[in-house]
């Protein structure tokens, strides 16, 4: 190794912080990087590869970097090229496996590899019909997800039945386990009849070839000698199996992940492979990245507080973030009367931000389910705010974008055939996209019209910002983005589910609908599912760089009784806190202040009907206390009355669930409380007990 190479390698390390540097310098043997959100994990691992190449430890073509999205793979290749390492393979698990499967299929199996199906719906429908199950679109979608989960979890029939029981997993559509197993068999037969493979088959068959053909496995081992795996907390059993076959008993592997961002357990992902990495690979070095360069201290503090108190099994491998940013503005917490009011309030705040110079593309509204976007779309349109729905149709699949790409590709081919390349890229792009519907001025209309213009304008802006004066190169860049689904930035507020937002970031994030039933979602059953919902909220919070606003609405359409999420207990302002054990006048004052704050919060967070019921319960309690010659709290506390007013139990069994009401008070007061809830008049006994 020359002195110049040594000097170049050391210069690479100068761009890293101490923790990132410890990742980059360790270029041989097993390593696990526990990297929190915004800590520069991609930077650390790309510099590690570049440093290893500069030191002569790696040949670029012998390194395989595995990512979970095409977008991440493109980003990693671009970063490595910028660092002078263009030959590294950066691919998704499926892309890498598919490449190998296509190459070795003729020699291992013979003939041509069957085509891949993009969607399972038609085959699932055919399989369901074959065994006599009537399946609508929703059930077909759920059955497809169940098939995928079973395959990536590597479950045979017996293992599937046991996993359903162990995970308290409910088969789709109220079907029995036997029904689902029969559907899976019928689905496999339908694939064979049509001569096609599905997405999961790529990994299954690659694993089979590597196991059954040692000579092929040896060729893979010679080709790839070092591995880097990003988002390792999201690895499934099947992906982990394929990875071990690629390794072939070797341990030259670096994995990166964050167990606090495990949000795909429902799809077969498991953080245990990251948590147990050091046991699986003896002598592994474990490095933590905790310096958060993305978010302000206020946002980081809120995210850390959210995750505090999780069980040790969940916390294993999680890191506590330390913000490297200057102080910012406090996290904003807001409740609204109903969903429409929440959407209106957020739309107004966004318009105000934009009026103060903030670009729409730096703002996002995040929510739990796709169905929540409707209100936001309506209110943003009414306010004249452009937006794009991130979890909707992919950018390059939209009709206007497809037409634009057709025109651009056709023109690039014409120029190539004529031997012409040096043209005015911007003007040519503008002219061509004008045919597709673009105009120099944004349309006044909102909604779909504005969204189509924004999509086309994103391509125009790419041309304007391009440093390459070659039209053909510009189009080739677009084609590469199209293949990897790396959409350009559009000038509009992003609307996205929390799941779809993972891996992205914005300056301003509005986390909407943070209420019980949505976060955690009502479908989440059991401790593990609830904890995953908390991690999902954590992912949403850590998308924000400068400003985070968290909100919920007290009802869907008004008059409801929706409560804010339990996850907000330690975060929401003026949260009622216990004063048990306090004494002295000071403690008494604190108690009174807490009581006032609790009541103010109660009135703010609940409908007038709930508050009115509480007042009726309190009037009844006062009469009972006076009749019995006891303090009011000896009958029932304010907190218990508030819980009753919110829950509005209809039976004594339901009433027993409320904290503060035991069997004695059920006997004395149960029937009266239920009568008050029903709106009936209640007579209080005048004789003290």
């Amino acid at each position: 190794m020359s002195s110049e190479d040594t000097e170049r390698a050391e210069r690479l390390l100068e761009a890293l912080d101490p923790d990132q540097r410890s990742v980059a310098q360790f270029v041989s043997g097993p390593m696990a990087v526990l990297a929190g959100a915004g800590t520069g994990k991609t930077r650390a691992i790309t510099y590690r590869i570049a440093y290893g190449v500069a030191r002569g430890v790696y040949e670029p073509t012998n390194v395989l970097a595995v990512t979970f999205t095409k977008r991440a793979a493109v980003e990693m290749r671009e970063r490595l090229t910028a660092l002078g390492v263009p030959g590294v393979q950066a691919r998704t698990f499926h892309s890498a496996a598919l490449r190998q499967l296509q190459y070795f299929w003729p020699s291992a199996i013979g003939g041509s590899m069957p085509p891949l199906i993009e969607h399972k719906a038609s085959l699932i429908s055919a399989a369901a019909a074959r065994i006599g199950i009537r399946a609508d679109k929703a059930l077909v979608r759920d059955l497809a997800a169940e098939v995928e989960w079973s395959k990536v979890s590597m479950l045979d029939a017996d293992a599937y039945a046991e996993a359903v029981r162990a995970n308290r997993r409910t088969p789709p559509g109220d079907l029995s386990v036997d029904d689902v197993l029969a559907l899976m068999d019928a689905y496999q037969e339908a694939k064979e009849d049509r001569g096609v493979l599905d997405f999961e088959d790529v990994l299954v068959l690659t694993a089979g070839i590597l196991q059954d053909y040692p000579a092929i496995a040896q060729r893979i081992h010679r080709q790839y000698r070092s591995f880097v795996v990003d988002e390792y907390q999201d690895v499934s059993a099947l992906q982990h199996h394929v990875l071990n076959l690629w390794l072939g008993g070797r341990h030259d592997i670096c994995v990166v992940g964050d167990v606090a961002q495990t949000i795909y357990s429902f799809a077969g992902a498991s953080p245990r492979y990251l948590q147990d990495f050091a046991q699986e690979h003896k002598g592994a070095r474990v490095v933590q990245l905790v310096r958060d360069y993305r978010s302000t201290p206020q946002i980081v503090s809120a995210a850390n507080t959210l995750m505090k108190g999780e069980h040790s099994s969940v916390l294993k491998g999680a890191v506590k973030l330390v913000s490297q940013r200057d102080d910012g503005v406090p996290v904003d917490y807001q409740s609204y009367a109903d969903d429409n009011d929440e959407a209106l309030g957020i739309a107004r705040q966004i318009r105000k931000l934009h009026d103060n110079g903030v670009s729409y593309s730096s703002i996002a509204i995040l929510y739990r389910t796709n169905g929540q976007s409707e209100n936001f779309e309506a209110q943003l349109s009414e306010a004249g705010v452009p937006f794009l729905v991130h979890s909707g149709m992919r950018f390059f699949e939209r009709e206007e974008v497809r037409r634009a790409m057709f025109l651009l590709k056709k023109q690039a081919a014409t120029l190539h055939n004529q031997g012409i390349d040096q043209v005015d890229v911007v003007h040519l792009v503008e002219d061509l996209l004008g045919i597709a519907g673009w105009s120099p001025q944004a349309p006044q209309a909102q909604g779909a019209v504005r969204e189509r213009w924004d999509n086309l304008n994103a391509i125009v802006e790419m041309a304007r910002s391009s440093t390459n004066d070659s039209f053909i190169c510009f189009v080739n860049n677009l084609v590469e983005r199209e293949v990897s689904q790396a959409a350009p930035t559009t000038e509009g507020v992003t609307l996205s589910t929390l799941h779809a937002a993972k891996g992205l970031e914005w300056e301003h994030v509005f986390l909407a609908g943070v209420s019980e039933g949505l976060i955690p979602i009502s479908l989440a059953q059991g401790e593990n599912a609830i904890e995953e919902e908390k991690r999902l909220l954590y992912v949403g919070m850590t998308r924000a760089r400068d400003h985070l606003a968290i909100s919920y609405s007290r009802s869907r359409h008004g008059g409801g009784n929706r409560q804010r999420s339990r996850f907000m207990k330690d975060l929401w302002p003026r949260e009622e806190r216990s004063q048990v054990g306090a004494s002295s006048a000071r403690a008494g004052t604190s108690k009174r202040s807490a009581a006032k704050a609790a009541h103010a919060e109660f009135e703010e967070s609940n409908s007038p009907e709930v508050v009115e019921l509480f007042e009726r319960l309190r009037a009844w309690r006062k009469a009972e206390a006076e009749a019995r010659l006891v303090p009011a709290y000896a009958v029932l506390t304010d907190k218990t009355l508030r819980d009753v007013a919110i829950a509005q139990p209809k039976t004594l069994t339901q009433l027993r669930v409320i904290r503060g009401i035991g069997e004695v008070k059920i006997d004395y007061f149960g029937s009266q409380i239920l009568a008050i809830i029903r709106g009936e008049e209640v007579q209080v006994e005048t004789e003290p007990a």
Side-chain angles (χ1 to χ4, degrees):
M1 183 176 176
S2 69
S3 60
E4 289 183 2
D5 290 336
T6 302
E7 186 179 342
R8 177 177 172 274
E10 295 308 311
R11 280 201 305 271
L12 286 170
L13 299 178
E14 294 174 0
L16 307 176
D17 70 29
D19 294 336
Q20 294 167 346
R21 197 174 299 129
S22 66
V23 173
Q25 287 178 304
F26 189 75
V27 293
S28 61
M31 170 181 276
V33 183
L34 308 179
T39 57
K41 63 180 178 67
T42 305
R43 182 180 184 86
I45 58 178
T46 50
Y47 272 78
R48 180 182 185 271
I49 295 170
Y51 183 77
V53 171
R55 293 294 304 270
V57 179
Y58 307 143
E59 286 293 330
T61 54
N62 294 145
V63 179
L64 178 59
V66 185
T67 67
F68 268 76
T69 66
K70 292 179 180 179
R71 179 176 172 272
V74 170
E75 181 186 354
M76 187 170 288
R77 287 197 296 270
E78 289 176 347
R79 292 195 185 200
L80 287 168
T81 300
L83 292 173
V85 191
V88 174
Q89 292 290 315
R91 298 181 177 274
T92 66
F93 267 106
H94 283 84
S95 168
L98 178 61
R99 195 176 186 220
Q100 295 171 20
L101 189 62
Q102 289 171 329
Y103 185 82
F104 292 112
W105 187 282
S107 58
I109 299 174
S112 301
M113 193 183 100
L116 288 175
I117 55 168
E118 273 196 49
H119 307 289
K120 294 182 176 71
S122 64
L123 285 172
I124 292 288
S125 296
R130 183 175 296 190
I131 61 174
I133 293 176
R134 297 183 63 182
D136 57 15
K137 286 184 178 180
L139 182 55
V140 167
R141 183 191 63 233
D142 292 344
L143 286 170
E146 195 73 2
V147 169
E148 290 166 9
W149 176 74
S150 176
K151 293 179 75 171
V152 302
S153 302
M154 301 180 69
L155 302 175
D156 59 19
D158 292 339
Y160 172 79
E162 177 58 33
V164 168
R165 286 191 293 270
N167 294 293
R168 297 180 180 179
R169 191 179 181 96
T170 303
D174 294 326
L175 299 177
S176 68
V177 169
D178 289 340
D179 288 335
V180 177
L181 290 173
L183 182 283
M184 291 179 182
D185 289 339
Y187 171 72
Q188 185 64 28
E189 292 172 2
K191 280 195 305 171
E192 293 171 358
D193 291 345
R194 297 191 189 182
V196 295
L197 303 176
D198 65 20
F199 201 59
E200 293 73 40
D201 286 333
V202 172
L203 292 178
V204 172
L205 293 171
T206 299
I209 288 176
L210 293 175
Q211 286 176 302
D212 296 341
Y213 296 88
I216 292 176
Q218 289 173 10
R219 291 182 64 178
I220 296 294
H221 299 160
R222 287 194 298 270
Q223 175 64 55
Y224 298 118
R225 300 176 184 178
S226 296
F227 294 83
V228 176
V229 187
D230 198 7
E231 303 290 356
Y232 201 62
Q233 79 280 349
D234 289 331
V235 166
S236 68
L238 179 56
Q239 290 167 332
H240 180 256
H241 179 55
V242 171
L243 181 62
N244 280 339
L245 291 171
W246 284 341
L247 282 166
R250 300 166 296 169
H251 299 278
D252 287 326
I253 178 173
C254 172
V255 301
V256 188
D258 180 10
V259 300
Q261 296 191 68
T262 306
I263 60 174
Y264 296 112
S265 297
F266 65 89
S270 174
R272 64 187 175 94
Y273 302 114
L274 176 61
Q275 294 170 322
D276 299 339
F277 183 85
Q279 284 71 47
E280 184 178 4
H281 299 271
K282 301 300 182 183
R285 179 171 297 192
V286 179
V287 178
Q288 290 190 353
L289 299 183
V290 301
R291 293 178 170 90
D292 186 337
Y293 298 95
R294 176 187 298 161
S295 305
T296 64
Q298 287 79 4
I299 296 170
V300 168
S301 176
N304 285 336
T305 299
L306 173 72
M307 298 301 288
K308 183 177 66 178
E310 291 204 30
H311 299 290
S312 57
S313 61
V314 179
L315 274 176
K316 182 183 176 185
V319 301
K320 183 179 180 181
L321 297 172
V322 181
S323 177
Q324 304 302 294
R325 299 272 310 276
D326 293 334
D327 265 356
V329 298
V331 176
D332 182 39
Y333 300 90
Q334 185 69 49
S335 66
Y336 295 91
D338 55 41
D339 289 353
N340 190 65
D341 191 34
E342 183 178 23
L344 177 61
I346 291 174
R348 286 174 174 172
Q349 291 181 68
I350 290 173
R351 187 59 189 261
K352 186 176 180 181
L353 284 170
H354 185 259
D355 291 343
N356 290 331
V358 176
S359 68
Y360 287 129
S361 59
S362 67
I363 305 171
I365 304 173
L366 309 182
Y367 38 78
R368 179 62 176 86
T369 67
N370 284 309
Q372 292 172 260
S373 72
E374 184 179 354
N375 279 328
F376 296 108
E377 292 178 43
Q379 292 298 340
L380 290 172
S381 295
E382 186 70 23
V385 175
F387 62 87
L388 61 141
V389 183
H390 178 66
S391 57
M393 184 180 293
R394 293 177 176 178
F395 179 84
F396 288 100
E397 292 174 353
R398 295 165 184 168
E399 183 180 354
E400 66 275 7
V401 176
R402 290 203 311 269
R403 178 162 171 74
M405 292 297 293
F406 171 79
L407 293 168
L408 291 168
K409 291 174 186 176
K410 185 178 179 181
Q411 184 64 46
T414 300
L415 293 176
H416 176 74
N417 293 334
Q418 295 174 349
I420 302 171
D421 193 23
Q422 301 303 312
V423 297
D424 190 325
V425 175
V426 175
H427 283 159
L428 184 54
V429 170
E430 289 179 347
D431 289 343
L432 291 168
L433 266 60
I435 301 172
W438 179 83
S439 61
Q441 298 297 320
Q444 295 297 313
Q446 297 298 318
V449 173
R450 177 58 188 254
E451 189 172 354
R452 285 194 294 269
W453 184 88
D454 284 331
N455 292 332
L456 295 174
N457 194 60
I459 300 175
V460 173
E461 289 297 330
M462 279 190 66
R464 290 170 178 171
S465 62
S466 176
T467 57
N468 199 320
D469 59 358
S470 166
F471 180 81
I472 294 174
C473 287
F474 172 75
V475 174
N476 287 340
N477 182 31
L478 270 180
V479 171
E480 185 175 354
R481 283 178 170 272
E482 182 182 23
V483 171
S484 61
Q485 292 297 329
T489 302
T490 58
E491 181 52 21
V493 174
T494 299
L495 303 181
S496 174
T497 63
L498 290 166
H499 280 103
K502 190 170 183 288
L504 305 175
E505 59 183 77
W506 297 268
E507 291 177 15
H508 304 266
V509 169
F510 292 86
L511 262 173
V514 185
S515 60
E516 289 291 308
L518 289 172
I519 299 285
I521 195 104
S522 57
L523 297 174
Q525 300 295 320
E527 184 178 324
N528 290 337
I530 296 296
E531 293 297 341
E532 180 141 330
E533 291 289 300
K534 181 185 284 188
R535 295 194 296 270
L536 185 58
L537 182 59
Y538 174 83
V539 167
M541 293 172 68
T542 54
R543 300 310 93 196
R545 292 197 292 262
D546 299 332
H547 169 239
L548 173 64
I550 301 175
S551 63
Y552 78 103
S553 62
R554 297 187 293 276
S555 67
R556 186 173 183 180
H557 299 299
N561 186 30
R562 187 185 282 166
Q563 300 299 301
R564 69 168 177 265
S565 171
R566 70 191 73 178
F567 302 144
M568 292 290 103
K569 178 183 175 188
D570 297 323
L571 290 168
W572 205 268
R574 301 193 307 275
E575 179 72 18
E576 183 179 12
R577 306 198 187 278
S578 174
Q579 301 292 323
V580 176
S583 60
S584 78
R586 176 176 158 187
T589 301
S590 179
K591 282 184 177 181
R592 288 191 293 274
S593 299
K596 288 181 180 179
H599 189 68
E601 174 64 19
F602 171 75
E603 289 186 329
E604 181 185 348
S605 303
N606 291 280
S607 66
E609 291 80 7
V610 173
V611 175
E612 190 270 336
L613 175 57
F614 169 75
E615 295 298 342
R616 285 196 287 118
L617 287 166
R618 191 157 65 168
W620 160 80
R621 181 190 62 178
K622 180 182 178 185
E624 276 290 351
E626 290 175 350
R628 295 173 180 274
L629 304 178
V630 297
Y633 67 79
V635 179
L636 291 169
T637 66
D638 275 5
K639 186 177 187 311
T640 300
L641 292 182
R642 283 194 287 269
D643 290 344
V644 171
I646 291 169
Q648 298 184 27
K650 293 179 173 59
T651 65
L652 293 177
T653 301
Q654 294 173 351
L655 186 60
R656 284 188 180 92
V657 176
I658 295 174
R659 191 173 180 180
I661 301 181
E663 288 301 322
V664 173
K665 293 187 178 180
I666 285 285
D667 291 341
Y668 275 111
F669 310 126
S671 59
Q672 297 181 68
I673 294 172
L674 295 179
I676 294 169
I677 293 170
R678 292 193 298 268
E680 300 172 5
E681 293 293 330
V682 173
Q683 288 293 118
V684 174
E685 298 291 335
T686 56
E687 291 292 325

